[in-house]
Amino acid sequence: MALRSAASAVGNTPLIRIDSLSDRLGCDIYGKGEYMNPGGSVKDRPALRMILEAEKNGELVRGEPGTIVEATGGNTGIALALIGQSLGYNVCLTMVETLSKEKVTFMQTLGAEVVLCPKGPWGGADHYFTVAQRIRDERHAAGERVVFTNQFDNNANTQAHIDTTGPEIAAQLAALGMRLDGFVTASGTAGTISGLASYIKGEAAPAHVKDAVVGCVDCQGSAMFSYLSSRGESLATEGGSVAEGIGKTDVTGNFKRGERCIDAALRGSDAEAYDMAKYLMRHDGIFLGPSGALNVVGAAKLARLLGPGHTIVTILCDSGERYLSSFHNAQAMAAKGFDTAPAPPLAPAQPAATDAPPTALKNKLAGWRRRPENAGADGTLLCGIAETEAFTTRTADGAPRDGLLFLR
């Protein structure tokens, strides 16, 4: 295959079967290998679309000086730096100073200007989003052509997944002769979950995709589980998370666009994501960052809920290479109280469990469909809820179950 540019290589990532989990849970669990994009993450898709939309709207002009400003958890910044610079634009990125050093170094190496901001409340004067807005305003006032892409509320973020990721998954499953029974991913800016939920529940989706259950797996410190399960009445949070780029304490414009297409809210802990990352690295040769690992946790939980014989897809967001000083640094994780022992060997494969999860819970989720009686007054939907208490990570003596959660 010959391509004209790195930008034209964005998308068409492989759908990877996660054999060890699939064989033990009796489901086909697939991950969309988004870490294989040119910029190394799922964020290449919205970054490219946001730039193209800015050009279409005249905010940026190819061949003329222009600056892209974005507030980022890292991956969108890397994608904008890589693609934006290749198209002749300057890129200025604001981010929280506590994020992984690898991401900062990568963005700077790509030629981006990086402004590190203290961690603080959303809307604060020094918050990285506020700083990005201020930089945009100051440079615009100075006469520069500048655009703040604002991935949190930019519809191009969601549309990129409606137009590309969703149809790719549908075509790949069709080629395998499979139907989609469940899709699950975490939410950050919410472009991925809103875009794919909107595609799956939309009129353009083919029949083998459109009846799938769509789940949002939420990390510690995030409010999306509370928001969905309360039908928008609560943004309660608890604790914090080591994950970067996912989890929000407010509702983004992109999330609002697709929330009514989300069927289920699930919780996933940092410990579950960390165990999963080690497990996948040892048993499947897949090396993920925390958000991708949490997504696979969500896929395993959804597989347990739906039972054997179903096909579940999730997003493998980025590579663990971006977290060698943090999430994949044993010393750093041990200091935070995590069990850093390597994943143990797999026990001999056993037939998939036939004991169904609690019937009421399974039916509540698997039978969820767009019914008028399930819609709130504001048009949003009630959600089937999958609590982590329905599963266990450890046996009674504290040992991992077959090296991982849910394999009981």
Side-chain angles (χ1 to χ4, degrees):
M1 179 185 295
L3 300 172
R4 296 185 60 179
S5 66
S8 62
V10 173
N12 292 309
T13 54
L15 198 61
I16 303 168
R17 187 177 190 269
I18 304 175
D19 286 342
S20 66
L21 288 178
S22 298
D23 294 345
R24 281 161 175 74
L25 291 170
C27 289
D28 287 299
I29 299 177
Y30 285 89
K32 187 81 162 120
E34 293 297 286
Y35 59 87
M36 296 187 186
N37 277 307
S41 84
V42 66
K43 294 295 188 176
D44 282 22
R45 295 178 188 264
L48 176 60
R49 179 60 66 90
M50 289 189 296
I51 292 173
L52 294 178
E53 285 298 312
E55 291 180 334
K56 180 180 177 181
N57 297 334
E59 297 172 288
L60 294 172
V61 178
R62 194 80 61 92
E64 296 184 12
T67 299
I68 298 166
V69 178
E70 182 57 88
T72 178
N75 283 332
T76 302
I78 290 169
L80 285 170
L82 183 71
I83 299 170
Q85 295 268 357
S86 73
L87 297 176
Y89 301 119
N90 297 318
V91 179
C92 178
L93 306 165
T94 64
M95 60 187 297
V96 179
E97 60 189 359
T98 56
L99 297 180
S100 72
K101 298 176 182 178
E102 291 87 350
K103 289 181 178 178
V104 177
T105 301
F106 196 178
M107 286 184 280
Q108 291 173 331
T109 301
L110 291 171
E113 175 188 356
V114 179
V115 179
L116 298 178
C117 306
K119 191 172 185 178
W122 187 272
D126 294 326
H127 189 274
Y128 72 108
F129 186 86
T130 307
V131 172
Q133 291 177 308
R134 188 162 62 243
I135 291 172
R136 183 269 317 272
D137 293 342
E138 291 172 351
R139 297 191 180 186
H140 181 74
E144 291 186 39
R145 185 188 297 275
V146 58
V147 59
F148 176 34
T149 44
N150 186 7
Q151 59 176 321
F152 301 93
D153 302 310
N154 193 328
N155 281 343
N157 187 350
T158 297
Q159 197 64 42
H161 295 289
I162 294 174
D163 292 345
T164 67
T165 323
E168 286 174 27
I169 291 171
Q172 288 165 325
L173 289 175
L176 294 169
M178 293 182 169
R179 63 176 291 110
L180 180 67
D181 298 301
F183 173 80
V184 61
T185 189
S187 177
T189 65
T192 305
I193 189 165
S194 273
L196 283 160
S198 297
Y199 173 77
I200 290 168
K201 304 298 185 182
E203 294 182 0
H208 70 286
V209 166
K210 65 166 56 250
D211 287 332
V213 171
V214 176
C216 174
V217 59
D218 207 27
C219 64
Q220 297 169 202
S222 177
M224 294 303 98
F225 180 90
S226 297
Y227 179 80
L228 287 169
S229 59
S230 68
R231 287 175 44 210
E233 295 182 2
S234 173
L235 284 171
T237 64
E238 183 177 343
S241 176
V242 298
E244 298 179 9
I246 56 171
K248 295 289 293 177
T249 56
D250 64 324
V251 183
T252 67
N254 280 308
F255 194 90
K256 291 177 181 178
R257 185 178 178 189
E259 69 177 271
R260 69 180 310 276
C261 298
I262 300 172
D263 300 305
L266 304 95
R267 282 191 176 120
S269 70
D270 283 353
E272 289 171 334
Y274 188 56
D275 282 351
M276 181 65 84
K278 293 186 295 180
Y279 175 95
L280 294 172
M281 182 168 52
R282 174 162 188 176
H283 301 302
D284 295 277
I286 301 173
F287 187 39
L288 296 177
S291 58
L294 181 69
N295 283 349
V296 181
V297 168
K301 291 189 175 188
L302 193 55
R304 287 289 302 169
L305 283 166
L306 297 181
H310 293 89
T311 300
I312 295 97
V313 172
T314 191
I315 302 295
L316 309 181
C317 307
D318 65 1
S319 168
E321 292 178 351
R322 294 185 176 173
Y323 307 91
L324 296 178
S325 65
S326 53
F327 188 68
H328 285 293
N329 183 295
Q331 185 175 0
M333 294 299 284
K336 295 178 180 180
F338 288 82
D339 178 2
T340 59
L346 286 177
Q350 300 294 325
T354 56
D355 56 318
T359 302
L361 183 61
K362 181 179 179 182
N363 290 344
K364 185 177 182 182
L365 182 61
W368 205 260
R369 293 295 180 264
R370 306 259 109 25
R371 296 192 298 268
E373 62 269 27
N374 288 338
D378 59 355
T380 59
L381 295 176
L382 301 173
C383 294
I385 304 303
E387 294 276 9
T388 53
E389 287 75 16
F391 307 93
T392 180
T393 309
R394 307 280 171 174
T395 57
D397 61 1
R401 291 188 179 278
D402 202 15
L404 197 64
L405 50 161
F406 324 125
L407 305 181
R408 57 180 182 176

